[in-house]
Amino acid sequence: MRKTKMLIAVLLIVGVAAAGYYYWHAAPAAPAPAAATKGGRGPGGPTPVVASPATQSDVDIIVNGLGTVTPLRTVTVRSRVDGELVRVLFNEGQLVKEGELLAEIDPRAFQVQLAQAQGQLARDRALLENARLDLERYRTLFKQDSIAKQQVDTQASLVRQYEGAVAVDRSQIDNAKLQLAYSRISAPLGGRIGLRLVDPGNIVRSGDANGLVVITQLQPVAVLFTVPQDLLPSVLKRIQSGDQIAVEAWDREQKARLAEGMLASADNQVDPQTGTVKLKAQFANDDGGLFPNQFVNVRMKLDTLKNAIVVPPAAVQRGAQGMFVYVVQADRTVALRNVKLGPLDAQRQAIAEGLAAGELVVTDGTDRLRPGAQVDVGSARPEFKPPAAGAPKGGGKRRSKDGG
């Protein structure tokens, strides 16, 4: 009997526990009242955006292009005479000035040729002097009717013959001196020397194709770049009027300006395959920031647009109807406004038509907007954080055991 009572008590306790478990976990939570969001940004409230006013300013019309640094002059230094290279007076990569001595070829053979030519000249001069004295004597004797006229004429021809021989000797001396001068090789222009192509001790010849070294002029230096053919009339008009068109060279990532220069000339024909024309800009390159065959980004200031309406580039959107911006109106709603774009200058986009100075345009948050939508304009980019992990979706609390 006692065991039966204990069994009934255990069953009652289990039943009470099961009922409590069901009441705690299975009963629906009381609906929490809708939480009011600060500033009306909750469901159905204004959309947070960032806006900026359209301003009026001068905008530079910039033409961008990809250019290649090209030296104004590149010279392969070659020997003009044959001989042994005895001295090399330059270092690879050295900057040299025009006329600076670079190398020497063994001059002894040319010194011997000069001495021979000088000796031949002295011999022919002596013969010429003697022939002239004889001519004077023959003329005196002819006046005295002591010799025939033919003898005088023959002596005069001999004098002219020796005069010609002396002229030849002098030219041979000049040639020998020139060959001797060619044995000293000087820089034909100022610039940077490349790698040495011949070592001392080698026999060099005037017909060698490779030469001794290559010199590239770096100051000044040119940059060749291309622009669309549609811009050619404007560029030529500026060139023909004598205006100086500023050109800048930037690095590959367009973060660092390498040099500033001026447009020098334009090519005389358009490339039919690309529809572009080549332009040449010249840079002083005093700091050596430009190097031959280096690729650079070119920015050419073609003109300046006065008192243009400008907005941040992020405000301009592209749609099926073309380019447009969202304008914040007085009642804090947005209106879609189609615009016609002007030139882009760094972080300023010129608007040719469709916008007035002072109008507020949305620069961030445009992906959540529709025409007529209410907006909340802020000064910083709005952030939308997801709900914390484990938080109840309804926002209410679980029912406590006592029903509180």
Side-chain angles (χ1 to χ4, degrees):
M1 187 70 178
R2 186 176 180 181
K3 292 182 179 180
T4 303
K5 290 181 178 181
M6 292 179 64
L7 179 60
I8 293 172
V10 170
L11 293 175
L12 289 174
I13 293 172
V14 171
V16 171
Y21 179 84
Y22 176 80
Y23 179 81
W24 178 260
H25 290 281
T37 57
K38 186 178 181 180
R41 295 184 182 181
T47 303
V49 296
V50 177
S52 176
T55 59
Q56 198 168 16
S57 176
D58 295 344
V59 177
D60 294 333
I61 300 177
I62 304 297
V63 178
N64 297 312
L66 183 62
T68 305
V69 180
T70 305
L72 295 181
R73 290 192 294 171
T74 299
V75 175
T76 300
V77 180
R78 296 185 175 90
S79 173
R80 298 186 182 186
V81 294
D82 301 345
E84 180 185 355
L85 184 64
V86 293
R87 294 179 63 195
V88 173
L89 304 174
F90 63 86
N91 297 319
E92 297 176 338
Q94 175 185 345
L95 291 174
V96 296
K97 298 180 180 179
E98 183 176 352
E100 186 174 343
L101 184 62
L102 301 179
E104 287 186 4
I105 296 174
D106 188 358
R108 291 175 294 179
F110 311 111
Q111 291 172 349
V112 171
Q113 293 177 4
L114 177 59
Q116 289 177 346
Q118 290 173 340
Q120 184 67 30
L121 175 62
R123 173 178 175 275
D124 290 340
R125 274 181 174 173
L127 292 175
L128 176 59
E129 262 184 64
N130 184 63
R132 285 174 176 172
L133 291 175
D134 287 345
L135 178 60
E136 292 299 325
R137 295 189 188 99
Y138 291 164
R139 286 174 177 171
T140 302
L141 293 174
F142 175 71
K143 290 178 181 178
Q144 297 174 356
D145 200 15
S146 298
I147 59 175
K149 181 70 166 61
Q150 180 181 1
Q151 192 171 354
V152 176
D153 295 340
T154 301
Q155 188 64 28
S157 298
L158 184 61
V159 169
R160 289 192 294 271
Q161 179 181 343
Y162 287 145
E163 288 175 345
V166 169
V168 171
D169 294 340
R170 286 173 177 167
S171 66
Q172 289 178 348
I173 290 176
D174 292 340
N175 181 66
K177 289 180 178 179
L178 185 61
Q179 301 302 310
L180 187 59
Y182 284 161
S183 66
R184 295 169 57 87
I185 302 175
S186 302
L189 75 158
R192 184 184 296 275
I193 286 186
L195 302 179
R196 187 175 67 243
L197 304 178
V198 179
D199 297 324
N202 286 281
I203 301 298
V204 295
R205 303 185 184 281
S206 58
D208 291 342
N210 294 330
L212 304 179
V213 73
V214 177
I215 301 179
T216 302
Q217 182 179 359
L218 298 180
Q219 298 172 347
V221 72
V223 172
L224 291 179
F225 63 101
T226 58
V227 298
Q229 61 180 358
D230 297 339
L231 297 176
L232 186 57
S234 301
V235 174
L236 292 180
K237 183 178 179 181
R238 293 286 306 276
I239 294 177
Q240 293 169 359
S241 63
D243 295 341
Q244 296 290 330
I245 303 178
V247 179
E248 296 178 349
W250 291 69
D251 64 351
R252 185 183 297 271
E253 297 180 355
Q254 298 196 28
K255 294 182 178 179
R257 184 173 59 189
L258 303 178
E260 297 181 34
M262 295 293 175
L263 185 66
S265 60
D267 200 0
N268 59 356
Q269 58 184 351
V270 175
D271 187 346
Q273 297 181 351
T274 60
T276 59
V277 62
K278 291 182 180 179
L279 301 180
K280 177 187 284 188
Q282 187 166 316
F283 298 83
N285 199 30
D286 294 330
D287 59 351
L290 299 180
F291 208 76
N293 294 331
Q294 176 185 2
F295 288 99
V296 294
N297 287 292
V298 178
R299 297 181 185 178
M300 181 177 64
K301 181 181 176 182
L302 188 59
D303 204 350
T304 300
L305 189 61
K306 300 293 185 180
N307 300 323
I309 304 299
V310 295
V311 297
V316 181
Q317 307 296 316
R318 181 185 296 273
Q321 69 274 30
M323 311 305 293
F324 66 91
V325 296
Y326 281 112
V327 179
V328 180
Q329 302 181 105
D331 58 355
R332 293 299 175 181
T333 61
V334 293
L336 188 148
R337 185 83 58 80
N338 291 325
V339 293
K340 182 178 180 182
L341 301 184
L344 176 65
D345 178 13
Q347 298 301 315
R348 300 185 303 169
Q349 174 65 63
I351 303 297
E353 295 178 5
L355 200 63
E359 290 189 290
L360 205 61
V361 294
V362 178
T363 58
D364 199 354
T366 55
D367 54 337
R368 299 180 297 273
L369 294 182
R370 295 293 182 271
Q374 289 280 342
V375 294
D376 182 11
V377 180
S379 59
R381 181 171 184 175
E383 295 185 2
F384 294 88
K385 296 182 179 180
K393 295 181 180 180
K397 297 181 180 179
R398 292 186 181 276
R399 188 188 303 272
S400 61
K401 289 184 178 181
D402 58 1

